[in-house]
Amino acid sequence: MSFYVVVGAGPVGRETARLLGEQGHDVVLTSRSVGSNALQNVRTIQADATDASELSRICRGADAIFMCAMAAYHRWPTDFFPIIDGTVRAAEAVGAKLIVLGNLYGYGENADSPLRSDLSLDPTSRKGTARTIMWQRAVRADVPAIEIRSSDYLGHGAISYFSLVALPSIIEGKPTAFIGDLDATHAWTFTKDVASTLVAAAHYKGEWDRAFHVPSQYASPRELIQKTAVMLGQEVPAIRSYSVAEMEALGMHELIEMSYLFESPLLVDASDTEAFLGVKASSIEEMITDTLRDHL
């Protein structure tokens, strides 16, 4: 069995630690506010990933480090870089492989769909630029690196545009507003499938310093809202799309920058993940059920 360190104790980090522990590996889950833990074979250690020396001490002997930490969404362009730098330096110090949790922002709004994992990164947003720089710093490290890129999250505890903008109104049975083209097909990624892909990547025998996409399911925002309402036993709500002026008035400034993701179909090619890592997407019904775990 191996020793792994998971940096970041959000929904994906905790699920990654759980899967690794259940496989019999020795796992440390660490973050600035790691909280309590009852996971098999998983120890929790409170630490700050920006402190490379402290993280190196925790990671001594690790086979791989999973970088699942998050920064506050509006502070990605400043707060993410010290996190990735500390993690990279720790990985280099202990000779551990590096597996980075990423997303699709780096491809930018001009990328052809379906997105392939070998596409060049060409960000058109501040957050996409931040993600691109993070991967560039990881892939330049003196240790092998893989980035696992996901689309918008569904799953229990996931913080996403859907959970923040649409879900509260659906749960309350109220008219619901979302962003972009409500009928554009969109890739939705299950947090548990993200964790499964991260874990599978640790065992990848091919050439590293590459990316994999998490297998996802497809539904337009309108379809997802309708399916969610039905699963809650609610009447299907009236659905409309926010205008840019409304988003500005509501303070959704970070959302406006990334709204291009919902203005046209967003498709993701994850065929190499399915072929090389053996991970397939859960059903959209499973994703919604887990998202609504506290409400069903």
Side-chain angles (χ1 to χ4, degrees):
M1 294 294 103
S2 299
F3 170 42
Y4 295 114
V5 176
V6 180
V7 179
V12 171
R14 284 189 177 275
E15 179 65 10
T16 300
R18 184 188 71 80
L19 291 175
L20 291 167
E22 290 185 352
Q23 290 180 356
H25 300 294
D26 181 18
V27 183
V28 165
L29 177 64
T30 181
S31 78
R32 285 181 294 184
S33 54
V34 69
S36 60
N37 168 62
L39 301 175
Q40 179 182 354
N41 296 322
V42 177
R43 294 173 286 139
T44 55
I45 299 177
Q46 185 172 340
D48 188 336
T50 65
D51 186 340
S53 60
E54 174 66 8
L55 189 58
S56 297
R57 184 189 64 79
I58 293 169
C59 295
R60 193 171 296 122
D63 296 273
I65 302 172
F66 295 82
M67 211 304 282
C68 301
M70 288 297 297
Y73 198 52
H74 68 291
R75 294 186 60 85
W76 278 19
T78 55
D79 291 6
F80 249 146
F81 299 141
I83 293 172
I84 191 66
D85 288 345
T87 307
V88 166
R89 294 207 303 272
E92 291 177 325
V94 303
K97 293 180 178 179
L98 184 60
I99 303 171
V100 179
L101 172 60
N103 66 7
L104 307 177
Y105 290 9
Y107 296 118
E109 63 180 307
N110 299 315
D112 293 331
S113 188
L115 300 174
R116 301 190 324 273
S117 60
D118 61 351
L119 283 176
S120 297
L121 298 178
D122 185 21
T124 52
S125 65
R126 292 181 306 115
K127 285 183 279 296
T129 299
R131 281 292 190 181
T132 298
I133 293 171
M134 288 174 67
W135 173 235
Q136 290 171 341
R137 294 185 181 185
V139 80
R140 287 199 302 262
D142 293 332
V143 295
I146 282 177
E147 184 168 56
I148 302 302
R149 297 174 184 160
S150 62
S151 189
D152 294 273
Y153 283 168
L154 294 176
H156 186 257
I159 304 299
S160 67
Y161 291 146
F162 179 74
S163 68
L164 293 174
V165 178
L167 189 57
S169 296
I170 303 171
I171 291 170
E172 295 175 8
K174 295 180 178 180
T176 300
F178 199 60
I179 59 175
D181 182 348
L182 297 175
D183 297 303
T185 301
H186 193 84
W188 303 95
T189 307
F190 191 19
T191 50
K192 291 186 177 180
D193 293 340
V194 181
S196 294
T197 307
L198 287 161
V199 171
H203 309 300
Y204 179 56
K205 302 301 183 185
E207 186 175 347
W208 281 52
D209 297 332
R210 58 157 298 168
F212 283 103
H213 288 159
V214 182
S216 303
Q217 292 288 1
Y218 297 99
S220 70
R222 189 186 308 277
E223 290 171 333
L224 182 60
I225 291 167
Q226 291 171 339
K227 285 177 180 288
T228 302
V230 169
M231 293 184 71
L232 283 166
Q234 302 274 21
E235 292 290 330
V236 174
I239 308 169
R240 68 179 185 88
S241 182
Y242 280 118
S243 68
V244 172
E246 285 179 304
M247 288 190 283
E248 289 176 342
L250 291 169
M252 298 180 177
H253 306 297
E254 301 299 320
L255 188 150
I256 293 170
E257 179 188 38
M258 304 310 303
S259 60
Y260 75 85
L261 293 166
F262 295 91
E263 291 169 356
S264 59
L266 178 65
L267 309 179
V268 179
D269 182 353
S271 56
D272 54 351
T273 305
E274 296 183 6
F276 298 134
L277 303 185
V279 179
K280 295 183 181 297
S282 301
S283 69
I284 195 74
E285 289 76 18
E286 288 179 86
M287 298 182 189
I288 296 171
T289 297
D290 195 69
T291 303
L292 299 174
R293 190 192 308 168
D294 294 335
H295 306 282
L296 292 176

